[in-house]
Amino acid sequence: MHVPDGFINAPVSVAAGVAAAAAVAVSLRGARRELDERTAPLAGLVAAFIFAVQMLNFPVAAGTSGHLLGGALAAILVGPYTGVLCVSVVLLMQGILFADGGLTALGVNITVMGVVTVVTAHLLFRGLLRVLPTTRRSVTAAGFVAALFSVPAAAAAFTAVYAVGGTTDVPLGKVLTAMVGVHVLIGIGEALITAATVGAVIAVRPDLVHGARGLATPLKLRIDGALVDAPAAAPAPAAAPAAVGSTKKVWATGLVTALVLAGFVSFYASANPDGLEKVAADKGIDEKVEEHAAADSPLADYSVKDVDDARLSGGLAGVIGVGVTVVAGTGIFWAVRRRKSDELTAASTSAPVA
């Protein structure tokens, strides 16, 4: 659903850019409450994983494909504020390095693919967890539903933006029907990927999943026929090194998975246009599309310039993309985490001594 340059006029693109910048600024502040020493590197990995899976277009209808948007997955794994930042990092890397998604439309893409998907998924996910049993299966099921609805919500949001700033004269009813219709199908694929990924992480380290925090219920003891809370067990000092090690193992496993998906599995992805591209071509939305400003990038169109072998070229581009995204994302999230630590240190230092 990457919106290219030329679909939306300049004033609306600028307004969307301002809105996206505001959302990123709010998310930077909110992410300080979500990130800690364990989840900061995981957030960079989530961004890289989303980048990799977005290369795996899957067929959804005759001549149409879809790919993960990632907002729901990011919101569940690392939190809504950090989730917006994850998707924003991915979109920035794709636009600058791979000529995917217009640079003047970056604000539109962040708003539609990042903010709308994350907010929609987060609200649905939290709402469902309030009524479902407190179990790991409930988290996975809620993630499935949240992801499913987040995609057509993004399609509807694009249609709303197009209604205000579209550069072609196309009946909005037809655009809305076509966009939401095809993206409901894409949403099914998004939901399956999100549920599978969240379920896999919860099975190994539920404490690393933001949406699963508070999942464990306190241990109960039956005394004289009544259930009472068991005394809290003292933390075992020897468990800390194991936790750190297992966090590193999760991170390494996730990175290897992302590299394999982007470097190898992506070669077998569907070559059909994605939902927005198909609707744009069918309805004439792409009449005024503009050439991408980064069209001459050595990584444009997810291939390495001057590498003739298509499999090798695409695989190398995918590996480079994952590497750049994980480095950029991890750097940003560590900086956010460190700023929080510095602020806490400064506050404790300046606090008056009783």
Side-chain angles (χ1 to χ4, degrees), residues 46-55 90 94 98 262 302 317-318 321-322 325:
V46 169
F49 184 80
I50 291 173
F51 175 91
V53 181
Q54 283 195 2
M55 294 182 66
V90 173
Q94 290 172 332
F98 298 91
Y302 298 94
V322 168
T325 304

Side-chain angles (χ1 to χ4, degrees), residues 87-334:
V87 179
S88 299
V89 169
V90 173
L91 292 172
L92 182 62
M93 295 298 103
Q94 290 172 332
I96 293 175
L97 298 178
F98 298 91
D100 189 10
L103 296 183
T104 62
L106 182 60
V108 175
N109 284 319
I110 289 176
T111 302
V112 171
M113 296 177 63
V115 179
V116 171
T117 57
V118 167
V119 171
T120 301
H122 178 67
L123 293 177
L124 276 173
F125 180 78
R126 283 300 172 192
L128 287 170
L129 287 187
R130 290 181 179 179
V131 298
L132 293 174
T134 309
T135 64
R136 296 181 182 182
R137 289 184 178 180
S138 295
V139 173
T140 304
F144 180 93
V145 176
L148 174 61
F149 281 91
S150 70
V151 177
F158 165 78
T159 305
V161 174
Y162 181 80
V164 179
T167 56
T168 54
D169 186 16
V170 179
L172 294 178
K174 292 183 178 180
V175 175
L176 178 61
T177 301
M179 283 293 293
V180 173
V182 71
H183 283 90
V184 166
L185 299 177
I186 295 173
I188 296 173
E190 177 107 8
L192 291 171
I193 295 171
T194 299
T197 305
V198 170
V201 179
I202 286 181
V204 180
R205 289 293 303 274
D207 58 304
L208 295 180
V209 179
H210 184 276
R213 291 179 179 178
L215 188 64
T217 56
L219 180 64
K220 299 284 187 179
L221 295 178
R222 186 175 296 276
I223 300 178
D224 296 330
L227 290 176
V228 298
D229 291 338
V244 174
S246 57
T247 301
K248 291 181 178 179
K249 184 177 180 180
V250 169
W251 192 90
T253 302
L255 180 60
V256 170
T257 301
L259 290 171
V260 170
L261 292 175
F264 177 73
V265 181
S266 62
F267 181 78
Y268 301 97
S270 173
N272 292 330
D274 67 18
L276 176 57
E277 292 172 334
K278 179 64 173 176
V279 172
D282 290 346
K283 304 301 179 182
I285 297 176
D286 60 354
E287 288 180 1
K288 296 185 179 181
V289 67
E290 300 173 1
E291 184 179 13
H292 201 286
D296 294 330
S297 167
L299 297 173
D301 297 324
Y302 298 94
S303 60
V304 177
K305 188 176 182 180
D306 297 329
V307 176
D308 297 329
D309 185 275
R311 186 190 298 268
L312 179 61
S313 179
L316 286 175
V319 168
I320 293 171
V322 168
V324 171
T325 304
V326 75
V327 170
T330 302
I332 291 172
F333 297 125
W334 267 118

Side-chain angles (χ1 to χ4, degrees), residues 73-92:
L73 177 63
I76 296 168
L77 289 180
V78 293
Y81 294 107
T82 308
V84 170
L85 297 179
C86 284
V87 179
S88 299
V89 169
V90 173
L91 292 172
L92 182 62

